[in-house]
Amino acid sequence: MIDKLQLKTEAAAFGLTLNEKQLDLFDRYAEMLVESNRQFNLTAIKNPDEIVTKHFVDSLTVFTALDIPGKSKVIDIGTGAGFPGLPMLIYDNSLKITMLDSTGKKLDFVRYAVSELGLEAQVLHARAEELGRGELREKFDLAVSRAVASLNVLCEYCLPFVKEDGSFVALKGSKAEEELSVSRSAVKTLGGKFVCCKELKLADEQTRNLVVIKKSGPTPPKYPRPSAQISKKPL
Ligand code: SAM
């Protein structure tokens, strides 16, 4: 299905080595994505070359933003068809990954894919701002999220899940700096500290910005607020 050499080479350009087993798992994942996309609209990216660059390698770039020790507890907020969480799990299957989304049918696909690939992950159907008030609050070493909301809103979804000294990595496009400038007070209010914004170019010349935020103190109990308040009055 995919060009494995393309995947291996594009990942290697970011210093990430993929073995044959991982390349086979990515190939099977792409196959399932294309198959399921015929029935459900999971992703607009359908071409195998684009799946490699825009989904797989893009998701793996998270590993270039910070050190992610094996067995880390990671939550992917708004995972959709599994990005970036599932490629991260294929790259390091010791990670304890939770993939969360508010759309059930996408998660049916993610559950199927995780099981077909022989991997283990927690797949949760919920809204981030509701779950972030419950027992998973401040339980993760790392939260990641791609293409879900503007950075200030995303911080309110994601930072409550992160333990003190843990991190949040937002995968953002070319306007990351602008988003950052309006998110500084949200980051601070939620117990975070901006660390860096790493800019990369994918093989298709698209810009990827990895915004890294550290959890430097607890998130005050009033956050995350109910959805209506977040959208009406974003931090
Ligand atoms: N992260 C995936 C990717 O990059 O391909 C999916 C991106 S898709 C554009 C946004 C996803 O975020 C959707 O699947 C949507 O259901 C989910 N989402 C949006 N708001 C959410 C929330 N508050 N809690 C959980 N999931 C949410």
Side-chain angles (χ1 to χ4, degrees), residues 43 55 76-84 100-103 106 126-129 145-148 157:
T43 162
H55 278 329
D76 177 9
I77 311 268
T79 191
F83 304 109
L100 167 76
D101 205 283
S102 54
T103 307
K106 294 191 182 179
R127 290 198 66 85
E129 60 276 35
S145 189
R146 183 182 83 159
V148 172
Y157 289 167

Side-chain angles (χ1 to χ4, degrees), residues 114-201:
V114 166
S115 130
E116 276 287 305
L117 298 175
L119 297 168
E120 277 179 37
Q122 185 178 37
V123 179
L124 293 178
H125 183 202
R127 290 198 66 85
E129 60 276 35
E130 287 164 14
L131 211 67
R133 302 188 69 85
E135 57 188 34
L136 292 183
R137 188 181 176 87
E138 303 195 327
K139 291 287 187 292
F140 292 88
D141 302 302
L142 173 66
V144 291
S145 189
R146 183 182 83 159
V148 172
S150 59
L151 189 60
N152 51 343
V153 169
L154 204 55
C155 284
E156 190 161 352
Y157 289 167
C158 296
L159 280 169
F161 288 102
V162 182
K163 289 178 190 168
E164 241 175 285
D165 286 329
S167 302
F168 163 43
V169 177
L171 287 80
K172 287 284 170 190
S174 53
K175 299 213 170 94
E177 289 289 348
E178 283 166 47
E179 284 198 49
L180 246 175
S181 65
V182 295
S183 302
R184 289 193 186 265
S185 82
V187 171
K188 198 168 165 210
T189 303
L190 294 159
K193 191 168 186 263
F194 169 67
V195 177
C196 65
C197 180
K198 182 169 181 178
E199 186 178 306
L200 305 168
K201 275 255 185 285

Side-chain angles (χ1 to χ4, degrees), residues 12-220:
F14 292 115
L16 304 168
T17 306
L18 296 175
N19 61 32
E20 275 311 307
K21 177 154 191 244
Q22 290 165 324
L23 292 169
D24 286 345
L25 292 179
F26 277 114
D27 191 45
R28 178 73 188 113
Y29 184 13
E31 202 172 66
M32 289 185 280
L33 201 56
V34 170
E35 262 167 35
S36 300
N37 233 356
R38 291 199 188 106
Q39 299 166 48
F40 316 106
N41 193 18
L42 289 173
T43 162
I45 298 165
K46 300 179 175 100
N47 167 305
D49 290 1
E50 286 191 316
I51 291 176
V52 166
T53 306
K54 294 180 190 295
H55 278 329
F56 295 166
V57 179
D58 188 29
S59 296
L60 292 176
T61 61
V62 175
F63 288 100
T64 72
L66 74 176
D67 180 38
I68 307 175
K71 301 190 182 164
S72 292
K73 287 193 77 181
V74 180
I75 185 163
D76 177 9
I77 311 268
T79 191
F83 304 109
L86 196 37
M88 290 177 70
L89 185 60
I90 294 175
Y91 185 73
D92 181 353
N93 65 12
S94 78
L95 296 176
K96 310 282 172 229
I97 294 212
T98 296
M99 286 181 275
L100 167 76
D101 205 283
S102 54
T103 307
K105 81 169 185 189
K106 294 191 182 179
L107 294 180
D108 291 342
F109 169 77
V110 174
R111 274 191 206 96
Y112 163 66
V114 166
S115 130
E116 276 287 305
L117 298 175
L119 297 168
E120 277 179 37
Q122 185 178 37
V123 179
L124 293 178
H125 183 202
R127 290 198 66 85
E129 60 276 35
E130 287 164 14
L131 211 67
R133 302 188 69 85
E135 57 188 34
L136 292 183
R137 188 181 176 87
E138 303 195 327
K139 291 287 187 292
F140 292 88
D141 302 302
L142 173 66
V144 291
S145 189
R146 183 182 83 159
V148 172
S150 59
L151 189 60
N152 51 343
V153 169
L154 204 55
C155 284
E156 190 161 352
Y157 289 167
C158 296
L159 280 169
F161 288 102
V162 182
K163 289 178 190 168
E164 241 175 285
D165 286 329
S167 302
F168 163 43
V169 177
L171 287 80
K172 287 284 170 190
S174 53
K175 299 213 170 94
E177 289 289 348
E178 283 166 47
E179 284 198 49
L180 246 175
S181 65
V182 295
S183 302
R184 289 193 186 265
S185 82
V187 171
K188 198 168 165 210
T189 303
L190 294 159
K193 191 168 186 263
F194 169 67
V195 177
C196 65
C197 180
K198 182 169 181 178
E199 186 178 306
L200 305 168
K201 275 255 185 285
L202 295 172
D204 60 3
E205 295 297 315
Q206 292 292 310
T207 301
R208 167 58 67 220
N209 274 295
L210 300 164
V211 179
V212 184
I213 292 165
K214 188 154 182 120
K215 189 82 177 271
S216 52
T219 298

